[in-house]
Amino acid sequence: MIQNDIERILVSEEEIAARCVELAHALETHYKDEKEPVLIVGLLRGSVPFMAELMKRFSFPCEIDFMSVSSYSGSKSTGDVKINKDMDVSCENRPVLIVEDIVDTGRTLKAVKHLFFHRGAKDVKIVSLLDKPDRRVVDIEADYVGFTIPNEFVVGYGLDYDQKYRNLPYIGVLKREIYE
Ligand code: IMP
């Protein structure tokens, strides 16, 4: 059972659902005067459960699309992003809401935000389920954050270790012996 690999639950299913209601309210306020449908872009694959939970609370018009990216670190510039799967629709002149599972070093989001502005999006907002501020190496913050968490490796609700545990309905801390 995958549940046996979890040391403790950090954020429960109920807490996530309740926080999504609050985040959706805040986003409703931001988009209340928006005339065009908001393009919601989920970063694959970790954002999928969060995006599904969040967007069912929206009453503003929206469209969804997905992107899969990886950021370069090390010797490469932090502005570079490798697109593994691109979006199907154009974001030019459109309001874009990027949905992410977790902001860790911040490299991915910084690169993706830059990419959307470069492609002519008129407004770019970021909502992330989790934020690990202690790990940040580049200057970027999500506009909306579900939960700020300590520097621990977490899985569940979309987040994986070696592609496993994404289906857990909560955010849990993985037992160290699993990844060490
Ligand atoms: P960043 O570019 O370092 O901010 O990377 C963010 C990505 O790293 C996330 O989208 C996750 O896929 C992954 N990640 C960071 N921390 C964790 C974690 O604690 N558990 C699972 N994945 C993580």
Side-chain angles (χ1 to χ4, degrees), residues 9 16-17 62 68-69 78 94 98-99 109 141 151 157 167:
I9 295 176
I16 296 170
C62 56
S68 170
V69 297
T78 54
R94 301 194 58 179
I98 301 170
V99 186
L109 271 187
E141 296 302 329
N151 185 7
Y157 216 87
N167 55 314

Side-chain angles (χ1 to χ4, degrees), residues 29-78:
T29 306
H30 177 72
Y31 290 119
K32 68 180 183 331
D33 298 325
E34 182 55 59
K35 303 277 181 291
E36 285 176 63
V38 177
L39 182 56
I40 305 174
V41 182
L43 301 186
L44 292 171
R45 306 174 182 130
S47 69
V48 170
F50 174 49
M51 182 162 157
E53 181 64 28
L54 188 64
M55 71 182 193
K56 65 188 181 188
R57 319 264 168 214
F58 294 159
S59 44
F60 52 83
C62 56
E63 234 181 88
I64 66 167
D65 204 345
F66 295 94
M67 224 180 166
S68 170
V69 297
S70 23
S71 66
Y72 293 113
S73 55
S75 58
K76 278 271 190 176
S77 126
T78 54

